[in-house]
Amino acid sequence: MAAPTPTPPPSHRTFLGRLSLPERNYLADALRTETVGGVILLGAAIAALVWANTLGSSYRAISDFHFGPESLGLNLSVQHWAADGLLAVFFFVAGVELKRELVAGELRDPKAAALPVIAAVSGMAAPAVVYTLVTVIGGGSTAGWAVPTATDIAFALAVLAVIGTSLPSALRAFLLTLAVVDDLLAILIIAIFFTDDIDLAALAGAFVGLAVFYLLLRKNVRGWYVYIPLALVIWGLMYNSGIHATIAGVAMGLMLRCTRREGEEHSPGEHIEHLIRPLSAGLAVPLFALFSAGVSLSGDAVASVFTRPETLGVVLGLVVGKTVGIFGGTWLAARFTKAELNKDLAWADVFAIAALAGIGFTVSLLIGELAFEGDAFIENEIKAAVLMGSLLAAVFSGVLLKLRVRTYRALYEAEERDEDEDGVPDIYEQDDPAYHLRMAAIYEKKAAEHRRLAQVAGVASSKPDSPA
């Protein structure tokens, strides 16, 4: 069974090298939840498509049903509540993830962060360029330039679960870091380019609420009954300010402390993320998908995805732009920073991950709704293009990953092997004398058992009726 190559001397930086044990454990826990959530998300998307294409009138009636306090400016449709309300939970988790990455994860070291950050930036710029070129040449609207820029980590992990590819932790960490930076840039795009009229009084109120939220955290005030009502007030004020309400979730997530103090097993940010992530991945995002992915998939609608410049731009942006942008940006960054690729992996693996990042769903659907708000027809077409582009990216990346599945499985099994059964993978204990003593005792016990079996076999073979 293949084992990962020893880490090179410190003078050489390794790209996609082995993670530290705490980072590996955090990654495994986070991705386990996201994978389950991704499968639920996939089910919700399929349910939305089936519902919208079989009982379309009931789907539209429920999606357009309004409820909420009119006096507070919150009498919203079910679809609107899902996009502005439930996705605030998703972006809250994204904010905590980003904070943790900046202070304790892959992004805390500027040199180590350079590659995934450059990959994410180029992986968002290239799809935008592809979309713009296609629409300009085809005479379409450039309003949806940001639609193909986002990566959906949950959907990507669902694809990995479906095709059964056991990616080594370094590739999974690279994909997660890409998605975290991707989410940050998507948040900035939404805040900057999709904000029209601003209500300064509501915005000032939201900032006051965020300041109170921050002070309570710094004073170590505890209790969900304090923070949840305050969070709802901040969200409502942010919504009424004209800035997309999900920004409130990101801001609160970034305020949490994600560094551990002496005696703490988990930081407050990690603890709250652990509690909220299942709610986000298992409920908030799937419900958003249920009321946003229900598009008409008639023969004409599918055909127009490849003939209309706006929809073709989205498909090519996700499938071609994401792949070329992430891979090209990573390769150039590695070349100029002289980072060495992990010897157990190949650039083909980076290319496959870049193609997998072309699965844009949750945030792409949200940006599509914002970019073409008020035009139901084109909005439906754009959603169909997001689904088609994500499907093609999933198939393309799935084929690429399957070509290397034996290598991935061998590396994954080597990373997970725990022969001394102490709960720590053996690969992290190679410099621990106690580990080698435990292994010596295990092998001595096995050797003694084999000697005993050899004696038994020898006695049996010496009997007269034994076969010659």
Side-chain angles (χ1 to χ4, degrees):
M1 192 69 70
T5 305
T7 304
S11 58
H12 299 284
R13 256 187 327 108
T14 301
F15 172 48
L16 297 179
R18 189 198 312 164
L19 302 178
S20 65
L21 183 58
E23 192 67 15
R24 175 255 183 203
N25 291 339
Y26 168 80
L27 180 76
D29 183 57
L31 294 187
R32 191 179 301 113
T33 303
E34 289 289 355
T35 301
V36 174
V39 174
I40 298 172
L41 175 62
L42 182 60
I46 294 172
L49 290 172
V50 172
W51 187 4
N53 286 276
T54 55
L55 300 170
S57 58
S58 67
Y59 180 82
R60 287 188 295 274
I62 293 177
S63 296
D64 295 336
F65 178 76
H66 281 64
F67 68 96
E70 179 70 46
S71 59
L72 297 178
L74 296 174
N75 184 30
L76 311 177
S77 67
V78 170
Q79 183 178 355
H80 209 160
W81 276 111
D84 286 77
L86 292 177
L87 279 195
V89 179
F90 166 79
F91 279 109
F92 172 80
V93 174
V96 179
E97 279 182 340
L98 176 62
K99 179 68 173 289
R100 187 195 171 279
E101 287 292 317
L102 288 170
V103 300
E106 292 294 298
L107 301 180
R108 71 186 184 280
D109 178 4
K111 291 183 179 179
L115 279 169
V117 169
I118 291 172
V121 171
S122 57
M124 295 190 80
V129 170
V130 169
Y131 176 92
T132 303
L133 287 175
V134 171
T135 52
V136 168
I137 293 171
S141 170
T142 58
W145 63 270
V147 174
T149 60
T151 294
D152 194 304
I153 183 66
F155 230 129
L157 291 172
V159 170
L160 292 178
V162 170
I163 65 177
T165 301
S166 299
L167 285 184
S169 59
L171 286 176
R172 289 176 178 263
F174 181 59
L175 180 61
L176 180 62
T177 306
L178 272 177
V180 169
V181 179
D182 194 296
D183 286 341
L184 170 63
L185 296 176
I187 291 160
L188 293 175
I189 287 173
I190 291 171
I192 296 171
F193 295 100
F194 297 102
T195 298
D196 297 322
D197 300 324
I198 296 180
D199 184 326
L200 293 178
L203 184 60
F207 278 126
V208 170
L210 287 171
V212 173
F213 189 88
Y214 178 82
L215 289 174
L216 290 174
L217 288 173
R218 291 301 168 268
K219 295 293 184 180
N220 294 318
V221 175
R222 299 187 179 187
W224 63 268
Y225 45 85
V226 173
Y227 290 102
I228 291 181
L230 179 58
L232 292 174
V233 170
I234 294 170
W235 176 86
L237 288 167
M238 189 69 76
Y239 175 82
N240 281 288
S241 74
I243 295 177
H244 202 271
T246 54
I247 304 300
V250 179
M252 287 184 277
L254 286 170
M255 290 181 182
L256 294 178
R257 176 169 61 82
C258 292
T259 52
R260 300 177 189 178
R261 292 175 179 170
E262 188 175 352
E264 288 184 340
E265 186 177 352
H266 302 288
S267 68
E270 290 173 324
H271 176 68
I272 293 173
E273 181 193 11
H274 182 74
L275 294 176
I276 301 298
R277 186 187 287 275
L279 176 64
S280 169
L283 181 65
V285 175
L287 280 177
F288 166 77
L290 182 63
F291 292 107
S292 291
V295 299
S296 172
L297 293 179
S298 62
D300 292 340
V302 174
S304 66
V305 166
F306 299 99
T307 56
R308 189 182 182 104
E310 294 91 347
T311 51
L312 181 59
V314 169
V315 172
L316 292 179
L318 288 171
V319 179
V320 178
K322 271 289 184 183
T323 305
V324 173
I326 292 174
F327 179 78
T330 306
W331 186 83
L332 288 172
R335 182 177 179 84
F336 286 108
T337 59
K338 297 181 180 179
E340 296 180 359
L341 181 66
N342 184 343
K343 291 180 173 57
D344 296 310
L345 298 171
W347 281 107
D349 303 314
V350 180
F351 189 81
I353 293 298
L356 185 65
I359 300 174
F361 188 75
T362 306
V363 179
S364 290
L365 290 176
L366 175 62
I367 294 177
E369 291 178 0
L370 296 173
F372 296 98
E373 190 174 7
D375 189 337
F377 177 77
I378 184 61
E379 187 180 315
N380 185 79
E381 297 273 297
I382 289 293
K383 288 182 179 181
V386 170
L387 294 174
M388 185 61 67
S390 298
L391 176 62
L392 291 175
V395 172
F396 181 44
S397 61
V399 171
L400 295 175
L401 291 168
K402 274 296 186 181
L403 294 175
R404 296 271 292 166
V405 68
R406 290 185 179 179
T407 299
Y408 298 151
R409 188 170 293 126
L411 291 171
Y412 180 79
E413 290 175 355
E415 287 179 356
E416 297 298 312
R417 190 178 299 123
D418 182 18
E419 289 190 81
D420 61 342
E421 299 181 346
D422 67 342
V424 179
D426 296 342
I427 197 169
Y428 290 98
E429 299 185 291
Q430 298 304 306
D431 296 327
D432 182 5
Y435 161 76
H436 293 288
L437 291 174
R438 288 195 299 273
M439 291 305 301
I442 290 170
Y443 285 123
E444 285 167 3
K445 184 177 180 180
K446 288 182 178 179
E449 177 63 13
H450 282 292
R451 281 192 290 269
R452 185 188 68 79
L453 292 174
Q455 290 177 348
V456 172
V459 171
S461 63
S462 63
K463 291 181 180 179
D465 58 346
S466 297

